[in-house]
């Protein structure tokens, strides 16, 4: 099942359960706008390469489109549609005044120099033109995109505006570096939020995180920060998998040391001296308390879900479970904290950054993290309560919450003309 089929399957289940209005169901079953751009960039060796970039805007009933940009070989229209749709649910569930969008460029950033990545990012921004905008569609980081790239996007977009309007447009993108409009704590917000969710889960199940063993797939921004905060809580990271390999240490892997090894130039976890290398197919079946998939979509499927021994899967990535994995895990009694709740700390912090820029304010780390925590605890609570009320799983309950808010907006406003 493709990612878009997966998100539609999840949507249909919730729509049936809640008796969603037929008209709203039709609107939300398809994306509003799909932008595909082909643009040329001169490489360092003087040759020209033409890149393909996407931006899909799923729905904006609740406010401007919002969602990240990813740079990855798997970026295509199907992925952009699915990821844009997930953003609509995510922002709605978090109670933000945003819709959902997603985009990116089909490329492997490892293959390009920093100056090539700068030219690619700027030219892509220019090609999108006024399809993005601070009150219209606000990108942010996602897989393989960085704060530096967000700064290039902001600068390129602002440079195309008349001088007096430039500084009013800083919030065209979030996830910028602190120092050029970025928010303190936005870098760690997604991982921090994943950990808040896991802490709430542990409380609910009457357990303590201290001494719990966990594994993480993907060691980018989300994988690293999630591990960082979990180890601070006394949990033990025993295995990590990424595109370069799978590493294991039953005594615990130090996330700070691993990050020093893995982060520079997208090196990855392979060859890390603080762990041994194991076969990738053994990863999800490892004996542990919980799993954090924080890489790409469709990683746990009907094929490997049966091997899982953990009692929780906390979705740091978007759409990591597909093809019947939910059904298998739920039947085994495994809890699933769904992506649109579990990784929503990122977009919530993006909202804070947007407010900070829009209102000419400066927010500080403590305030950001405590506001984030309060919002996430509320969301977690609402999802658990809705699941009990509707006698359903947490993912479907999260969808019912998210879609219900959008349905209400359509009912109140009606359909133009
Ligand atoms: N890319 C992140 C996500 O999937 C963040 C989006 C944002 O901050 O707009 O939620």
């Amino acid at each position: 099942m493709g990612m878009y089929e997966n998100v539609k399957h999840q949507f249909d289940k919730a729509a049936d359960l809640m008796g969603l209005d037929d008209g709203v169901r039709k609107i939300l079953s398809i994306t509003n706008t799909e932008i595909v751009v082909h643009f040329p960039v001169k490489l360092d060796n003087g040759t020209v390469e033409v890149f393909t970039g996407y931006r899909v805007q799923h729905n904006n009933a609740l406010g401007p489109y919002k969602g990240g940009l990813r740079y990855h070989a798997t970026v295509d229209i199907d992925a952009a549609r699915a990821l844009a749709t997930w953003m609509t649910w995510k922002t709605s569930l978090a109670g933000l005044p945003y819709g959902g969008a997603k985009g990116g460029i089909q490329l492997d950033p490892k293959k390009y120099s920093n100056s090539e990545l700068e030219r690619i990012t700027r030219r892509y921004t220019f090609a999108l033109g006024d399809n993005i905008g601070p009150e219209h569609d606000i990108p942010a980081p996602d897989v393989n995109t960085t704060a530096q790239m967000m700064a290039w996007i902001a600068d390129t977009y602002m440079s195309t505006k008349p001088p007096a309007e430039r500084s009013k447009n800083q919030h065209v993108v979030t996830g910028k570096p602190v120092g050029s409009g970025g928010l303190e704590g936005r870098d760690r917000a997604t991982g921090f939020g994943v950990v808040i969710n896991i802490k709430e889960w542990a409380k609910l199940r009457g357990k303590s995180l201290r001494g719990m063993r966990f594994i993480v797939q993907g060691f980018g921004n989300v994988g690293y920060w999630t591990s960082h905060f979990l180890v601070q809580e006394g949990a033990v990271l025993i295995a990590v998998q990424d595109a370069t390999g799978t590493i294991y240490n039953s005594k615990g892997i130090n996330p700070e040391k691993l990050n020093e090894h893995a982060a520079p130039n997208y090196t990855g976890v392979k060859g890390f001296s603080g762990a041994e290398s194991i076969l990738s197919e053994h990863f999800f079946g490892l004996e542990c308390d919980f799993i954090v998939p924080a890489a790409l979509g469709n990683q746990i499927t009907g094929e490997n879900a049966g091997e899982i021994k953990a009692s929780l899967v906390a979705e740091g990535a978007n759409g990591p479970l597909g093809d019947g994995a939910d059904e298998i895990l739920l039947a085994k009694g495994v809890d699933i904290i769904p992506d649109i709740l579990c990784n929503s700390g990122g977009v919530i912090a993006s909202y804070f950054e947007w407010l900070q820029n829009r209102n000419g304010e400066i927010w500080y780390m403590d305030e950001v993290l405590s506001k984030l925590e309060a919002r996430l605890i509320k969301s977690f609570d609402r999802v658990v309560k809705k699941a009990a009320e509707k006698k359903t799983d947490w993912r479907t309950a999260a969808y019912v919450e998210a879609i219900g808010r959008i349905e209400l907006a359509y009912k109140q406003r009606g359909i133009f003309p």
Side-chain angles (χ1 to χ4, degrees):
M1 196 192 294
M3 279 212 283
Y4 192 43
E5 228 180 300
N6 187 18
V7 69
K8 288 223 263 194
H9 170 76
Q10 297 170 347
F11 170 71
D12 283 338
K13 185 172 173 192
D16 288 344
L17 181 73
M18 69 193 283
L20 179 65
D21 173 90
D22 268 353
V24 176
R25 187 172 181 142
K26 283 183 198 159
I27 297 169
L28 296 178
S29 294
I30 195 151
T31 60
N32 283 359
T33 319
E34 302 186 344
I35 301 144
V36 182
V37 290
H38 304 287
F39 54 96
V41 175
K42 199 184 263 184
L43 301 184
D44 292 346
N45 66 10
T47 61
V48 170
E49 195 167 322
V50 175
F51 294 89
T52 303
Y54 300 85
R55 185 71 180 169
V56 171
Q57 297 163 336
H58 172 254
N59 187 272
N60 62 347
L62 297 178
Y65 298 107
K66 186 87 192 77
L69 296 175
R70 70 171 56 172
Y71 286 2
H72 198 272
T74 59
V75 172
D76 60 13
I77 195 72
D78 181 85
R81 282 177 185 149
L83 293 159
T85 308
W86 274 313
M87 283 312 301
T88 301
W89 314 147
K90 200 183 298 184
T91 55
S92 176
L93 178 65
L96 305 178
Y98 288 141
K102 195 72 142 221
I105 310 176
Q106 195 178 76
L107 62 74
D108 177 359
K110 273 200 301 291
K111 295 193 180 140
Y112 299 92
S113 71
N114 198 46
S115 61
E116 286 169 337
L117 288 172
E118 175 172 358
R119 289 196 294 282
I120 293 166
T121 302
R122 287 183 181 276
R123 189 66 201 243
Y124 169 59
T125 308
F126 184 74
L128 289 177
D130 282 329
N131 289 301
I132 58 169
E135 307 292 331
H136 171 49
D137 181 357
I138 306 121
D142 197 81
V143 174
N144 286 340
T145 48
T146 60
Q148 172 63 76
M149 290 167 184
M150 301 305 117
W152 292 330
I153 293 172
D155 184 66
T156 306
Y157 184 85
M158 287 155 73
S159 298
T160 63
K161 302 290 164 214
E165 282 177 29
R166 282 182 194 157
S167 60
K168 282 198 300 211
N169 282 288
Q170 201 178 30
H171 54 304
V172 63
V173 65
T174 57
K176 300 178 292 289
V178 177
S180 42
L183 180 82
E184 277 194 14
R186 175 61 186 85
D187 56 353
R188 64 210 65 191
T190 311
F192 178 79
V194 170
V195 177
I196 297 297
N197 274 286
I198 296 172
K199 278 164 79 175
E200 289 307 292
W201 164 81
K203 240 188 261 167
L204 186 75
R205 298 289 180 235
K207 298 178 181 179
S208 157
L209 284 189
R210 191 152 292 282
M212 271 200 194
R213 297 155 75 76
F214 69 101
I215 64 176
V216 173
Q217 189 194 39
F219 210 70
N221 173 281
V222 182
Y224 162 64
W225 282 108
T226 299
S227 306
H228 166 94
F229 287 114
L230 282 170
V231 167
Q232 251 180 22
E233 293 292 325
V236 186
L237 173 63
I238 59 162
V240 181
Q241 175 172 77
D242 72 4
T244 67
T246 305
I247 60 169
Y248 175 79
N249 184 342
S250 64
K251 295 200 180 70
I253 293 168
N254 180 326
E256 313 310 320
K257 293 213 169 101
L258 180 58
N259 191 45
E260 276 166 33
H261 169 88
N265 306 317
Y266 306 97
T267 301
V269 302
K270 191 180 175 187
F272 176 60
S273 59
E276 59 174 308
S277 167
I278 61 165
L279 286 175
S280 65
E281 55 266 38
H282 294 161
F283 180 70
F284 284 118
L286 286 170
E287 203 72 58
C288 63
D289 295 290
F290 58 89
I291 300 178
V292 183
L296 298 173
N298 275 334
Q299 298 301 300
I300 302 174
T301 63
E303 303 245 305
N304 57 2
E307 297 159 18
I308 285 178
K309 299 186 185 71
S311 44
L312 168 72
V313 177
E315 296 185 325
N318 293 310
L321 268 55
D323 273 334
D326 276 45
E327 290 74 9
I328 295 171
L329 294 175
L330 293 170
K332 281 165 55 131
V334 178
D335 287 323
I336 302 166
I337 307 179
D339 46 9
I340 62 168
L341 169 66
C342 195
N343 69 37
S344 64
V347 73
I348 296 172
S350 276
Y351 171 58
F352 297 158
E353 179 172 329
W354 187 74
L355 287 179
Q356 169 181 275
N357 295 158
R358 216 173 174 226
N359 301 337
E361 294 171 358
I362 302 283
W363 295 31
Y364 296 103
M365 184 75 82
D366 286 356
E367 189 186 1
V368 168
L369 296 185
S370 66
K371 285 201 163 128
L372 192 52
E373 178 167 2
R375 273 182 177 262
L376 286 164
I377 291 175
K378 237 191 246 162
S379 290
F380 185 91
D381 208 45
R382 274 194 292 129
V383 169
V384 170
K385 284 206 176 102
K386 182 64 83 181
E389 179 198 319
K390 295 273 181 198
K391 300 193 172 38
T392 191
D393 56 276
W394 291 347
R395 188 189 312 284
T396 310
Y399 270 58
V400 170
E401 277 286 307
I403 296 165
R405 219 179 136 225
I406 303 167
E407 182 183 35
L408 179 65
Y410 275 111
K411 281 201 176 139
Q412 290 171 339
R413 286 212 305 251
I415 306 290
F416 172 83

